[in-house]
Amino acid sequence: MNLSKYSSIRSLSVVAVSAVLGGLLLGGCKKSFLEPDPLSFFEPTTTFTTEPGLRAALAICDRHLRSYWTNTSSNTNSVVIGTEYMMSDVAVYGKSDVDGNNVNFNFADGLTPTGGAGGPGGNDGNYINHYWDETYNGIKYANTILTYADRVAGLNETTKNLYKGSAYFHRAYRYLALVFQYGNVPLITKIIEVPKLNYKSTKKAAILEMITKDMELAVEWVPEQKNMTQVGSVNKGACRMLLAKCYLATGQWQKAKDQLDIIINQSGYSLMQNTFGTFYPGGEARTWNVTRNVIWDLHRCENKLIPANTEVIMGMPNRGAQSNIAFATMRIFGPLYNSGNLKAPDGINGLDLYARNSSNYRADLDFGRALGRGIGTIRPTPFAEHALWNVNGVEDSIDLRHNGASGNWVNMTSLRYITNTTSYRGQNLVLRHPTTNALLCADTIRSWFNWPHYKLFITDVVAEAALGTNAYQGASTGSVADWYLYRLAEAYLLRAEAKFYLGDATAKDDVNEIRKRAKCGQLYTSNVTIGDIMDERARELYLEEWRRTELCRVSHCLALSGKPDEWGNVYSVDTYDKASGTDLAGGSYWYKRVVLRGGLYNIGGVNSNNRLLNYKIDKRNLLWPIPNDVITANNRGVLFQNYGYPGYNAATAMWDKWEDAVADEDKTN
């Protein structure tokens, strides 16, 4: 495959471009969000007033998207996208070797404007501050293009609008996330050339209105993927997807459906129904056999962006020696089964992993290579393991996304004892002793759970080349780790959501299209609830959607619509995001899903590994706190702090109209 086609592997030096962009307003973190850094030796008015300069800036925007799934640090114990899952209904923090009151267990008490929000530097838990910093970095990169595009001499209108439309996409993508992570935030739409320390927050509704208008232009200006030479850049299909989400967030249900109709019926995309591309059988087929199937092929990184894949709308290339970013999916999201926490019934450690050059090695028991050596940083909730897969009262085990016989899904009892000194070597794992019923796993949070192998497996190139290692983690240097940003399956589920708000009974048909492709045994036969739609999103889009942010967006949409959730609750747009406490009265749809579906939060703690893990979440955690250092750096203005956190003041002045916020950007101090 010709890697020159991929936007994140363009020939222009990423390091040089990063140096240029890093000097502009909204630098990476903390106080620099509010003031310009000294410019590097590059001169922006020279660099970005040429088309190569715009191309470079757009390449950085495209590449930057990956920072929300992966990170650029050397830490392989956690990953950015994990934060979106550990504060959702489908996953929680799993590192039970730390204090059970750690903020990553107890967000209710530990997440404040001054603490509890981690970052990329060696952090094994949440990346909340990283989201703030990197999202504003992405906005900075997009604003660079929008600031300079009109200054490029000789650029025809069509080409200029392509750059501007792509930049609108990148800015809107980030602001849509910001308003559902943080609520009312500062709106910045241009590169500011002098310090500004008197920002006000702009109301969420105003930001949503602005980015919706921007995306309407982007849909006009950005070409279809079939008319583009590069893969991984913004295309019209991606713009329609984002515009549809903007329409949903602003209560324009029919307009959202119209955009999704075009994507599904008129844009040349189609769901992959059969096996395709190259079959990659996994790490060690003699240990873990995968029967080739469409779901497995669809989620092989090597197949995600190939021309034969008619389902991908926009993906994120992650490959090549210089462009690759490590993505330790198997390590972070897989169970810690080789730690000694799992005993065979004879009392011997059951799963000692052996390297291929060890005399104790057996190719039929190489689970480390076949499934990865996990550490359980993030683990699925009991709901995600079991009840999520119930449709019509039946656990659909033939659903290819939950199917162990195909090799896609791993049940712990399908693993076998490895250690050469146990008499149970080669036999299947059991959780309890066959005669005494004693628990054989000391840590059932971190070391015993089922998981979707087809989503986590990535060939670890570095480990494959080292016969003396037993640490297979996921994408390493040289691995192919391409990831989906948008694919057609999500378009069907977004259209089902729009139809739900419209009262259209055919919403179930869109959900069933996804289920049919997964060869499910159960289909929805009556009107679907918003819960059914969100369940299907969880089944289909694990580690693709920003799960928590999507739940927060749907919380807002439900409140706008007046439609009930699956329990019959109806929400008010004026109050759903203004609640605190850990009881079940009031609050948002997000909170109800996390507590009622997830099953681990707010139940008084969970005992595992001789620790009480105090999983606790508050209704106020629907929105994350605005970082205190950002508030204090803005010392000539007042930013709005979210409900329930120290510093909240309902009377804080904010911009009601995005036009007023934009006009104020040029007014300093």
Side-chain angles (χ1 to χ4, degrees), residues 74 103 107 113 205 297 392 516 581:
S74 59
V103 65
F107 290 102
D297 282 353
N392 302 326
K516 289 175 185 176

Side-chain angles (χ1 to χ4, degrees), residues 192-212:
I192 306 299
E193 297 177 354
V194 294
K196 182 176 175 64
L197 303 175
N198 61 347
Y199 280 97
K200 290 196 302 187
S201 301
T202 299
K203 288 186 176 179
K204 174 171 61 180
I207 295 175
L208 289 171
E209 179 187 348
M210 185 197 80
I211 64 174
T212 302

Side-chain angles (χ1 to χ4, degrees), residues 81 104 118 251 300 340 383 556:
I81 193 65
N104 299 306
R300 300 288 49 78
F383 168 68
H556 178 76

Side-chain angles (χ1 to χ4, degrees), residues 187 189-190 210 655 657-666:
L187 178 64
T189 66
K190 60 188 70 173
M210 185 197 80
W655 297 114
K657 297 181 178 179
W658 65 266
E659 295 92 340
D660 293 337
V662 171
D664 184 70
E665 287 185 76
D666 292 327

Side-chain angles (χ1 to χ4, degrees), residues 389-412:
W389 304 94
N390 292 345
V391 175
N392 302 326
V394 176
E395 183 169 356
D396 197 338
S397 60
I398 68 171
D399 181 336
L400 282 174
R401 301 164 300 184
H402 186 55
N403 182 262
S406 67
N408 287 353
W409 180 270
V410 181
N411 294 305
M412 289 297 295

Side-chain angles (χ1 to χ4, degrees), residues 221-234:
W221 292 343
V222 176
E224 298 279 9
Q225 180 64 60
K226 63 185 178 183
N227 298 322
M228 299 171 65
T229 59
Q230 291 174 331
V231 176
S233 293
V234 179

Side-chain angles (χ1 to χ4, degrees), residues 530-644:
I530 192 64
D532 296 328
I533 295 168
M534 295 311 292
D535 285 353
E536 198 63 33
R537 286 189 69 96
R539 300 175 191 120
E540 181 69 19
L541 300 174
Y542 183 65
L543 294 187
E544 295 179 57
E545 66 172 342
W546 294 19
R547 181 63 182 180
R548 181 191 174 280
T549 295
E550 287 296 320
L551 285 170
C552 295
R553 178 189 62 76
V554 171
S555 298
H556 178 76
C557 293
L558 270 181
L560 286 175
S561 74
K563 297 286 185 179
D565 65 16
E566 58 263 42
W567 300 283
N569 301 304
V570 177
Y571 303 88
S572 166
V573 73
D574 296 321
T575 59
Y576 84 95
D577 58 355
K578 297 178 181 64
S580 61
T582 57
D583 60 298
L584 284 174
S588 64
Y589 179 62
W590 163 80
Y591 181 77
K592 296 288 197 299
R593 288 282 304 197
V594 171
V595 175
L596 294 176
R597 287 283 189 252
L600 290 175
Y601 278 110
N602 298 358
I603 61 173
V606 177
N607 285 298
S608 194
N609 198 27
N610 297 316
R611 292 177 181 269
L612 181 66
L613 308 179
N614 190 23
Y615 288 105
K616 192 175 177 184
I617 205 153
D618 195 290
K619 283 172 266 191
R620 69 178 181 177
N621 299 143
L622 167 74
L623 296 174
W624 293 333
I626 307 299
N628 187 67
D629 54 2
V630 171
I631 290 175
T632 56
N634 190 50
N635 57 25
R636 298 184 184 179
V638 179
L639 298 180
F640 182 84
Q641 182 56 274
N642 288 316
Y643 183 91

